[in-house]
Amino acid sequence: MKEASRLRGLYAITDSTLLADGRLLPYVEAALKGGARLLQYRDKTGDEARRLREADALQELCARHGAQLIINDDAELAARLGVGLHLGQEDGSLAAARALLGRQAIIGATCHAQLPLAEQAAREGASYVAFGRFFQSHTKPGAPAANQDLLREARARIGLPIVAIGGITLETAPSLIAAGVHMIAVIHALFAADSAAEVERRAQAFSQQFNTP
Ligand SMILES: Cc1ncc(COP(=O)(O)OP(=O)(O)O)c(N)n1
Ligand SMILES: Cc1nc(C(=O)O)sc1CCOP(=O)(O)O
Ligand SMILES: [Mg+2]
């Protein structure tokens, strides 16, 4: 599949609190059934055995639903599983990760609201650049704020798919999609739900927003 079509649509990101107590796999499967194209495993526990077990199970789910698994922060785990990686500004060298994971791997970079960071990420081999946070975020309230005005310039200057993140909901996603982002990355508005069926409904609703002209 071509990179451009893989990197468009809903980008679901896991959260170890929201997806505790046996919810991880059924809720993620619901998001994938609802159309999520990328799934990021974001786990800050440092429990290596658990991380490997969960990432392995998520890889199997993604394969079954034609989605791509991305590991947050941990290049070694991504290399071990042969999947993608997302790196923030404090998470190590993007160029080294590209060398480790190879040319085909999807590697994303956090760029906050700074175009120079996105230009640098592009030079160092990123597959996509992520800007945010665009709205108040339950998950990461202290993330630096971004303004949608930067998206027009990003589209003109950065020849890579653009991911928007931070407080995105079914109500706020359309303005970002209209501004030309290729993917919307969502945690709370997708996974803070009472049932897997509700997660699937939300994922479908997010995904459908990419189909309307
Ligand atoms: C798609 C996407 N964009 C941004 C981030 C944030 O990454 P980072 O700044 O490294 O923060 P943590 O997620 O590690 O807390 C992301 N994970 N995914
Ligand atoms: C992990 C993360 N990074 C951000 C950034 O701005 O870089 S915002 C964020 C949290 C995204 O979760 P929610 O959809 O619940 O706001
Ligand atoms: Mg990080």
Side-chain angles (χ1 to χ4, degrees):
M1 191 186 282
K2 289 241 169 63
E3 184 93 326
S5 59
R6 285 198 299 182
L7 298 181
R8 181 169 165 78
L10 174 62
Y11 183 171
I13 303 183
T14 69
D15 178 277
S16 41
T17 305
L18 290 176
L19 301 178
D21 303 324
R23 287 189 293 273
L24 178 67
L25 299 185
Y27 276 34
V28 164
E29 179 150 40
L32 298 175
K33 278 189 190 162
R37 309 296 298 276
L38 252 56
L39 174 76
Q40 183 183 127
Y41 178 54
R42 181 172 181 271
D43 175 275
K44 301 283 185 181
T45 63
D47 178 343
E48 280 196 25
R50 176 183 131 175
R51 286 165 58 73
L52 179 58
R53 193 173 61 246
E54 290 185 343
D56 200 42
L58 294 176
Q59 183 178 23
E60 200 272 319
L61 273 186
C62 285
R64 208 169 340 127
H65 291 277
Q68 305 293 319
L69 178 63
I70 308 291
I71 303 291
N72 186 46
D73 292 344
D74 188 343
E76 297 303 324
L77 180 56
R80 184 160 176 179
L81 296 178
V83 300
L85 175 69
H86 184 93
L87 290 180
Q89 292 298 317
E90 311 295 328
D91 297 331
S93 158
L94 207 153
R98 174 59 71 200
L100 177 69
L101 298 178
R103 290 177 53 190
Q104 299 295 327
I106 298 173
I107 304 180
T110 298
C111 302
H112 302 300
Q114 299 179 43
L115 289 173
L117 292 181
E119 288 171 328
Q120 184 184 346
R123 282 194 301 274
E124 292 178 0
S127 312
Y128 69 79
V129 292
F131 294 107
R133 65 175 164 83
F134 285 98
F135 306 99
Q136 277 300 330
S137 168
H138 279 91
T139 309
K140 205 163 178 182
N147 186 300
Q148 291 194 34
D149 292 344
L150 100 115
L151 292 172
R152 185 204 306 250
E153 212 175 333
R155 277 178 60 85
R157 279 169 51 180
I158 315 290
L160 289 176
I162 293 171
V163 174
I165 190 168
I168 301 172
T169 64
L170 283 167
E171 289 69 39
T172 58
S175 65
L176 292 164
I177 296 167
V181 306
H182 300 85
M183 305 201 85
I184 48 170
V186 186
I187 300 179
H188 194 270
L190 181 62
F191 286 125
D194 286 337
S195 66
E198 175 61 12
V199 172
E200 184 173 344
R201 188 195 70 75
R202 292 180 189 182
Q204 262 171 7
F206 276 117
S207 300
Q208 277 164 6
Q209 293 182 351
F210 285 88
N211 298 331
T212 50

